Amino acid sequence: AIFRQTSRYTIAILLIFVALALFSFVATMENDDFADFSYLGPELVQQIKVRQPWWETLNAEAPKGAAAIFLNNTRIGLLTFAMSIFPIIGTMKVMMPTALMFGSINSLILKYGMVGQLWGFMIGHLVLEFTAIFISGGAGLMLGMAMIVPGERTRSEALIERGLLAVKMMAGCLPIFLIAGLIEAFISPLPIHPAFKILTSLASILLLVAYLASGRGFGEGSGLTNKVKGNSFSLAGVERVEKDS
């Protein structure tokens, strides 16, 4: 499947995010003031300190909220894709606000006893949302590496091949963003037992794994996929193993 073939690029984006988030988590645990550097406004920090769930109004206008969430997540995915074409530097720049915020928020909710509340809200949609963003970034990184180290092919050949593959990866992310937006708008804010949201998360993860493994939505089985699935690329784009020769 396309996702398995390109998973090393997605994992690279994930590792960059985790490194930034861990740095922010530790720094905020040492000093709350680091939250200002992590793009958290003082109002949000104060709400966390007084344990005020700021997300409860999200389902006030659920249909409109779902559309806004979907568009915002898709925008982030496209931006991550575009910036990751500039390997490491571009990825760091585009991922930094989200990663630092994520680390800082988790540090603060651990300090002030809001872990159950916030994760009870986020758990239903977070995996889908982040997975689609990481795949988007991986698609951009793949293009960037094709320009820097095209391997045995010319740069134009590598860009054309991987560019078409990247388009299919981005198209495959759209259903993931849509479902994540629907869950975040309609299910995550509901005042129901967290167990139901955990079940929603587990179900979405199983469906996500099946979707990624099957390649549906990523153009699996198309002429382009058949053309490139016999090739295995290293992250640096140097190693290329022809399985169909």
Side-chain angles (χ1 to χ4, degrees):
I2 289 177
F3 176 73
R4 289 196 300 270
Q5 180 185 341
T6 60
S7 60
R8 66 197 68 194
Y9 300 100
T10 303
I11 292 171
I13 301 297
L14 167 65
L15 292 176
I16 291 172
F17 179 90
V18 170
L20 290 170
L22 282 176
F23 169 74
S24 180
F25 180 91
V26 173
T28 306
M29 188 64 69
E30 292 293 325
N31 190 340
D32 288 359
D33 291 339
F34 188 82
D36 293 333
F37 179 76
S38 298
Y39 304 91
L40 296 185
E43 181 179 350
L44 178 56
V45 173
Q46 184 59 33
Q47 286 176 315
I48 294 174
K49 288 181 176 181
V50 299
R51 303 182 65 181
Q52 179 183 343
W54 66 91
W55 59 87
E56 287 187 342
T57 58
L58 185 61
N59 65 339
E61 298 180 10
K64 183 178 178 181
I69 292 167
F70 169 69
L71 291 174
N72 181 64
N73 289 342
T74 303
R75 180 189 65 82
I76 294 173
L78 289 171
L79 185 60
T80 306
F81 165 76
M83 292 298 294
S84 293
I85 292 175
F86 306 97
I88 309 302
I89 296 175
T91 305
M92 291 276 288
K93 182 175 178 61
V94 72
M95 296 295 288
M96 187 173 291
T98 303
L100 292 182
M101 286 179 65
F102 186 77
S104 191
I105 284 177
N106 277 281
S107 184
L108 290 173
I109 64 173
L110 182 61
K111 272 187 178 183
Y112 297 102
M114 286 191 72
V115 174
Q117 287 176 277
L118 183 57
W119 275 93
F121 165 73
M122 295 193 303
I123 196 168
H125 62 269
L126 196 67
V127 173
L128 292 178
E129 196 172 287
F130 275 151
T131 298
I133 290 173
F134 296 151
I135 292 174
S136 299
L141 179 60
M142 181 177 63
L143 272 183
M145 297 309 298
M147 288 189 290
I148 297 173
V149 190
E152 296 179 4
R153 302 191 178 191
T154 65
R155 280 186 172 80
S156 60
E157 288 174 339
L159 282 172
I160 290 172
E161 182 178 282
R162 298 190 195 181
L164 292 172
L165 192 57
V167 169
K168 288 182 177 291
M169 291 172 67
M170 293 300 297
C173 286
L174 291 178
I176 305 176
F177 280 130
L178 177 60
I179 294 172
L182 291 173
I183 294 174
E184 186 173 355
F186 290 95
I187 298 177
S188 295
L190 293 178
I192 57 178
H193 195 279
F196 292 104
K197 297 179 183 180
I198 293 173
L199 288 175
T200 300
S201 180
L202 291 175
S204 68
I205 290 171
L206 290 175
L207 290 173
L208 176 65
V209 170
Y211 176 70
L212 295 177
S214 70
R216 296 180 183 274
F218 292 88
E220 190 72 10
S222 68
L224 170 67
T225 306
N226 292 333
K227 176 182 176 183
V228 301
K229 70 180 179 181
N231 301 333
S232 176
F233 300 101
S234 70
L235 180 60
V238 177
E239 179 187 354
R240 181 172 178 268
V241 180
E242 295 286 355
K243 296 181 181 178
D244 54 358
S245 60

